[in-house]
């Protein structure tokens, strides 16, 4: 895969503290990557450095093989910042047209309106848009130059449920069109649904990097829970292949192990006297909170 | 980048016309002052009819106000509200953005001069030769350039509220000290020495000279040029410092 973004040993220091601490990663063209982490993990600082808004204290950043501050790079990237601010006394349509004029190649105006769902709001003043509509405008401005690399910093904050799923649909279309997309988000479901890859950050460091599946596997526990009479011997359960631990509280028993399917099949085949089967597989929320508990 | 420059200029011009506060303070207020204070005048100021003299004063007052007000407040707003971040991500060079702002403000200033002169001529029968009208207008336009630099300098402030207050203080202070509201000849001697060095006085004085058929004050031009270089240099120094610390 061709490289779109490369960070090596990037550090950003504020006062004596490293907001971003020696991080390195490579993002290929066409990838959708979510950067996840709690507040203050260094996500926004990392994005700001990739956009050339902040300079790293040390380390190097390359976007499409060039420094982020080069104009050639700026022609190829678009970004929706966390706080979308708009100029006063300017209409939505005028702002979009203005941004189109900045780029050598731009998406047609009508197409941008449609993409951002602002068709009906084009002639109103940008300052009177609601929070969610402002996010849409931010998205239209980010897309104005038909970017091949798109940065979205908390894109769906302030959107209602319908807008959010519409937005996700749009992102998927952009992915199909081969765009490279980097998003930060608080919504774990968003990261899980949209991205090919998740980079988890905490305290300025990368603590996990992989597909949503890999991260869930690594950071969550899986178990089969069953109900068993007290007469059932714990030893019977402990000897099942693949079971790493058994936990018993009254009638409720949890059989921990990576291959929950195999454990379930064994229980059924061996006709072990248990009932109310339930498989627990970790979700990203759990991975996230486990990660934060570890404290790293 | 011509396309971006033109589009940016169009937006800046639209914003100026849509800003009622700016139109009121920089165009209507000088006109109102002009009518109130030019009524009692058959007197002459250095051989110039008072109503013509004061037309120059009020035009200069409006130019100062709009150059400082429009530029500084927008610059502060755009920087503090994150708009300039949004722009920094685009390929628009900061110089193009700034050139559009400044050239639009010059165009607005030219418009203000034309409106004020038309009002003076048609509503208050100020009679000047074509050469005097054009000469005085051109001088005022040139004299407004250092105020663009002052507007840019005040545009480096961090809060809109502070910028607004400082704006008023600077505009009013320079107006009074520069003899825009009261002729400099009425000032006590010691104050006149300061007043004659203000950019507001120099802007007005060049035009008053043209009305009184006096020779061009080249010393004044030089001082205005120094102000321009000084304020522009200071503004870009402060902006660079802010850039580095972010």
């Amino acid at each position: 895969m061709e490289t779109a973004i490369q960070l090596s040993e990037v550090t950003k220091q504020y006062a004596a503290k490293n907001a971003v601490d020696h991080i390195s990663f490579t993002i290929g063209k066409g990838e959708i990557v979510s950067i996840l982490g709690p507040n203050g993990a260094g996500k926004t600082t990392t994005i700001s450095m990739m956009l050339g808004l902040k300079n790293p204290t040390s380390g190097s950043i390359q976007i499409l093989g060039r420094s982020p501050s080069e104009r050639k790079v700026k022609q190829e990237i678009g970004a929706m910042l966390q706080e979308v601010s708009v100029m006063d006394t300017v209409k939505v349509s005028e702002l979009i047209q203005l941004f189109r004029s900045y780029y050598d190649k731009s998406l047609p105006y009508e197409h941008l309106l449609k993409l951002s769902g602002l068709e009906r709001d084009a002639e109103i003043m940008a300052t009177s848009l609601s929070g969610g509509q402002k996010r849409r405008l931010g998205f239209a401005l980010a897309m104005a130059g038909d970017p091949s690399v798109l940065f979205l910093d908390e894109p769906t904050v302030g959107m209602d449920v319908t807008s959010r799923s519409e937005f996700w649909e749009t992102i998927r279309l952009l992915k199909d069109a081969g765009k490279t997309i980097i998003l930060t988000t608080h919504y774990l479901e968003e990261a899980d649904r949209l991205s090919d890859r998740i980079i988890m950050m905490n305290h300025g460091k990368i603590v996990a990097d992989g597909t949503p599946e890999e991260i869930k596997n690594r950071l969550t526990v899986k178990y089969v829970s069953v109900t068993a009479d007290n007469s059932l011997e714990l030893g019977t359960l402990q000897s099942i292949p693949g079971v790493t631990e058994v936990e018993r509280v009254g009638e409720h028993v949890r059989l921990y192990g990576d291959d929950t399917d195999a454990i379930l099949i064994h229980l059924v085949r061996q006709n072990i006297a248990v009932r109310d089967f339930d498989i627990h597989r970790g979700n990203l929320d759990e991975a996230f909170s486990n990660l934060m508990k570890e404290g790293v | 980048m011509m396309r971006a420059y033109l589009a940016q200029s169009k937006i800046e011009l639209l914003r100026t016309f849509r800003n009622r506060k700016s139109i009121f303070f920089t165009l209507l207020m000088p006109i109102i002052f002009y009518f109130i204070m030019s009524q009692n005048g058959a007197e002459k100021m250095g051989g110039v009819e008072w109503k013509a003299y004061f037309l120059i004063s009020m035009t200069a007052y409006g130019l100062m106000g709009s150059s400082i007000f429009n530029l500084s407040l927008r610059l502060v707003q755009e920087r503090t509200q994150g708009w300039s971040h949004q722009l920094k991500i685009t390929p628009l060079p900061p110089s193009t953005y700034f050139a559009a702002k400044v050239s639009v403000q010059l165009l607005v200033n030219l418009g203000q001069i034309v409106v004020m002169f038309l009002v003076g001529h048609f509503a208050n029968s100020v009679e000047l030769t074509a050469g005097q009208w054009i000469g005085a207008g051109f001088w005022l336009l040139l004299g407004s350039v250092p105020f663009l630099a002052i507007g840019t300098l005040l545009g480096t402030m961090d809060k809109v509220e502070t910028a607004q207050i400082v704006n008023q203080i600077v505009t009013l202070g320079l107006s009074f000290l520069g003899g825009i509201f009261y002729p400099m000849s009425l000032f006590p001697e010691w104050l006149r020495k300061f007043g004659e060095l203000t950019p507001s006085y120099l802007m007005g004085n060049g035009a008053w000279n043209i009305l009184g058929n006096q020779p061009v004050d080249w010393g004044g031009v030089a001082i205005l040029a120094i102000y321009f270089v000084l304020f522009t240099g200071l503004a870009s120094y402060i902006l660079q410092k802010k850039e580095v610390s972010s």
Side-chain angles (χ1 to χ4, degrees), chain B residues 139 205-221:
Chain B
W139 182 277
N205 192 47
W208 291 320
N209 280 346
I210 289 169
L211 266 55
N213 297 312
Q214 305 284 319
V216 175
D217 173 16
W218 291 109
V221 177

Side-chain angles (χ1 to χ4, degrees), chain A residues 71 74 85 94 102-103, chain B residues 3 8 18 81 83 88 91:
Chain A
R71 272 197 61 204
K74 292 178 197 265
S85 94
E94 291 163 350
Y102 294 161
Y103 297 89
Chain B
R3 199 165 65 98
Q8 188 70 43
R18 283 180 188 156
Q81 294 173 358
W83 182 252
K88 245 182 119 179

Side-chain angles (χ1 to χ4, degrees), chain A residues 54-75:
Chain A
K54 289 188 174 123
N55 289 323
T57 312
S58 64
S60 86
I61 300 177
Q62 294 222 306
I63 312 284
L64 303 169
R66 297 167 187 277
S67 148
S69 57
E70 281 186 49
R71 272 197 61 204
K72 267 203 172 144
V73 171
K74 292 178 197 265
Q75 291 281 5

Side-chain angles (χ1 to χ4, degrees), chain A:
Chain A
M1 203 185 327
E2 271 187 276
T3 302
I5 296 173
Q6 188 162 32
L7 273 74
S8 34
E9 293 293 314
V10 171
T11 297
K12 179 70 181 179
Q13 209 168 33
Y14 290 118
K17 196 176 160 274
N18 285 344
V20 172
D21 196 359
H22 294 90
I23 63 169
S24 303
F25 58 79
T26 303
I27 293 173
K29 281 188 182 163
E31 264 192 291
I32 298 195
V33 180
S34 292
I35 301 179
L36 272 183
N39 286 332
K43 295 170 294 179
T44 297
T45 307
T46 305
I47 291 247
S48 298
M49 289 190 287
M50 289 195 265
L51 291 172
L53 291 175
K54 289 188 174 123
N55 289 323
T57 312
S58 64
S60 86
I61 300 177
Q62 294 222 306
I63 312 284
L64 303 169
R66 297 167 187 277
S67 148
S69 57
E70 281 186 49
R71 272 197 61 204
K72 267 203 172 144
V73 171
K74 292 178 197 265
Q75 291 281 5
E76 290 297 328
I77 66 171
M80 186 170 160
L81 300 177
Q82 211 174 104
E83 274 168 38
V84 181
S85 94
V86 291
M87 284 199 281
D88 55 357
T89 62
V90 177
K91 290 176 189 164
V92 169
S93 58
E94 291 163 350
L95 266 187
I96 296 179
Q97 294 286 23
L98 177 66
F99 262 61
R100 291 186 60 238
S101 80
Y102 294 161
Y103 297 89
D104 293 343
K105 59 172 173 62
S106 58
L107 283 180
Y109 170 69
E110 296 296 334
H111 186 75
L112 285 170
L113 274 190
K114 206 167 159 244
L115 200 63
S116 56
L118 284 170
E119 291 108 321
R120 275 180 296 156
D121 308 309
E123 293 313 311
I124 65 175
M125 289 291 168
T127 35
S128 53
L129 293 176
S130 71
Q133 285 171 317
K134 271 188 191 156
R135 307 295 300 162
R136 287 164 183 267
L137 177 58
F139 182 63
L141 299 183
M143 289 302 297
D146 193 15
S148 58
V149 182
L150 186 61
F151 294 88
L152 306 167
D153 199 0
E154 301 280 354
T156 58
V157 169
M159 285 189 190
D160 57 36
V161 181
T162 330
S163 310
R164 186 170 298 157
S165 56
E166 275 171 20
F167 187 79
W168 288 349
E169 195 48 49
T170 310
I171 298 299
R172 266 183 222 111
L173 290 175
L174 291 174
K175 178 197 159 69
D176 293 343
K179 309 278 186 199
T180 309
I181 301 170
I182 295 92
L183 71 141
T184 70
T185 180
H186 265 88
Y187 299 108
L188 305 172
E189 188 197 354
E190 189 161 282
D192 196 9
R193 283 233 212 150
L194 288 178
S195 41
D196 307 322
R197 176 175 159 200
I198 291 174
I199 295 175
M200 278 201 173
M201 287 186 74
N202 200 11
H203 302 298
K205 288 196 167 78
I206 292 174
V207 288
D209 182 348
T211 65
E213 280 311 308
E214 283 167 358
I215 291 200
K216 281 184 267 186
N217 283 339
R218 238 196 64 197
L219 290 164
T220 57
V221 287
K222 290 192 255 180
Y223 53 82
V224 178
S225 76
V226 292
T227 307
D229 290 336
N230 287 331
S231 57
L232 187 73
E233 294 235 358
L234 217 56
T236 324
L237 298 174
Q238 271 160 345
S239 63
I240 295 173
V243 171
T244 51
E245 200 190 329
V246 179
E247 191 183 281
R248 185 172 199 166
V249 182
E251 288 194 324
H252 300 286
V253 179
R254 281 181 180 180
L255 306 162
Y256 291 91
D258 275 340
D259 195 350
T260 43
D261 285 345
I263 296 171
L264 183 64
I265 290 167
H266 188 90
L267 286 170
V268 175
R269 288 229 175 106
Q270 301 301 314
N271 222 351
I272 297 174
V274 292
R275 56 188 191 276
D276 302 334
F277 298 99
D278 191 20
I279 289 185
H280 174 89
R281 246 188 244 109
N283 56 24
L284 213 51
D285 276 300
E286 199 183 318
F288 191 70
S289 66
N290 283 342
L291 184 78
M292 295 317 134
K293 262 184 259 163
E294 281 172 30
V296 185

